[in-house]
Amino acid sequence: MTSASCDRFYTYEEIETLVKAARDAHPDICTLEALSTTEGGRTIWGITLAEGTDDPASRPGFYVQGGLHAEEGMGITECLVLLYTLLENEDARKILSRITVYILPCINPDGCDACVTQGLSIRSQLESLPAGTPNTLIPQDLDGDGRILSMRWEDPTGMWKNAPGCSSLMVRREPGDTDGPFYQIATEGIIENSDGSGAYKNPRSLDMNRQFAAGWADNAPGGDYPGRHAESRTVMEFLLTHPNIFAAFDIHCGTSALIYDAPSGKADADLLKKIVNLGGEITGIVPITESNYGQYGGSTAPTVLPGVFRGYAQSTFGIPAVTVELGNGWNSLGMSSKDIFAAPDLMCAELVAKLIDLHEKNGSQIAAPWVKYNHPQLGEVEIGGRIHGNAYFMLASDMNELLPKITTFLTKIMDWYPKLELVNVECRSLGGDVVRVRADVINTGLMNTMPIRSASGYHAQSITYVTLEGAEECFNRWPTNEIGSLAPLESRKLEWFVRAKPGTALTVRAACAKAVGACITVTAD
């Protein structure tokens, strides 16, 4: 069977080939669903992994997604590696008999494919400005080399100059620097509705990880409203229609970190800390709260990012959620996350020189030579410069070492689901057809049946129900008992007085959307 490799980034076509091959090779375990279609006509695929004949939705669900940010293709690679590990590794596969694993490997196929195939540098996607907006830059491959790189032209007011030792890369101009030549830089493309001034406006840059319905803000990256675009809307609908999900991981490859939100409740905060601390031990990636991410290097980044998946999953659905930032090219350069955040400019001459040397030693190209081009609006420009994805991506050799550790981390957390058991079950006749049934229900799993109890969302209420079935009549209460949530090793005592003829089978059933359920049948005397 075709398999996924740790040391490469995948095009949309290759992603489709791999997920379909997984389904075809394991149709009894792997289900593939076309969740929605993007504006670019690509399918957002959802994968369900479960072994056995019962309904996958009746088991605890573990959720993993990648590809929200276009240049962060290593998250997609990890999702595919995880998929094939669960299918092909006998030990890892055992978890699929106990829980259901959901993988959405590429949430943003339009943007991710453009970055891999064309070298385009975008956060998630570019959205056109209103029709008729003057001087709108539309990214295009003008010179026909299959890539969308950069355009530059000389301008004494320009803020860029050639990198020392590599004229294909540019570095920012420092205050007081008069040693040109200096350049203006823009994304390769045409200018619609040009007025001939040479000015241009960039398209709106969308961030699919700012478009979730929790703390959403009305800004350019957030779109017009939460879920405005198919990518974020698909994820929101998936969580809504899969209430069995007990944990969620969003895989990125920004500056290396395991990012988590510390909930207000102590037990909830302790759970998140246990998850990320285990991840830190296995992977070597530093756990950090969102409020500190970016600030421990002196950044003035906001303490809470608006409309982020992690906050949406946790506050709305009560799911412990972690953003796994796998790292980037500067981490491969040997810089710690603190160093990266503290750096005034990652494209300064010193770091660019090191980046060039690193990629030359590893045989990867991070810049294309500048080639003259007669632009229809700007006149003579040069096209070339930084191949954004290659320069941003982590080295393949580092991925080979890191991704198996991430997979190990994720598979260990898969075993942390809540698990209900029924113990001390007894059935005693009290005379005639009256029977007393007693049972204790206990959570023997590693997570609360309502994983984040401090979550305030309506959909976060994961209730445990214990039901007695088979009796003719229940005297003292309704057959179904709603007992709220159960912490690990917490138990509750239940008692029913019912009418049941001798020999009647009475079934006690404990159920919770996010937990393994339990069922015991006793016989009335």
Side-chain angles (χ1 to χ4, degrees), residues 145 147 149 167-169 365-371 383-387:
D145 68 349
R147 301 175 297 195
L149 299 176
S167 60
S168 295
L169 285 176
Q365 183 187 13
I366 65 168
W370 295 100
V371 178
I383 295 177
R386 180 181 170 195
I387 302 173

Side-chain angles (χ1 to χ4, degrees), residues 272-332:
L272 265 296
K273 288 176 185 176
K274 287 179 182 178
I275 291 173
V276 295
N277 287 341
L278 177 62
E281 292 171 9
I282 294 172
T283 67
I285 298 177
V286 177
I288 189 165
T289 61
E290 180 186 292
S291 60
N292 290 324
Y293 184 62
Q295 295 192 340
Y296 63 177
S299 170
T300 57
T303 56
V304 178
L305 295 172
V308 175
F309 167 80
R310 181 182 60 254
Y312 175 68
Q314 200 157 292
S315 64
T316 303
F317 296 99
I319 301 169
V322 176
T323 302
V324 180
E325 298 284 2
L326 297 170
N328 52 36
W330 286 273
N331 288 119
S332 284

Side-chain angles (χ1 to χ4, degrees), residues 169-197:
L169 285 176
M170 311 294 287
V171 295
R172 292 188 189 277
R173 179 182 183 179
E174 296 292 335
D177 185 357
T178 58
D179 185 18
F182 303 112
Y183 296 87
Q184 299 284 4
I185 295 181
T187 301
E188 180 182 355
I190 63 168
I191 299 175
E192 282 191 346
N193 307 312
S194 173
D195 62 10
S197 66

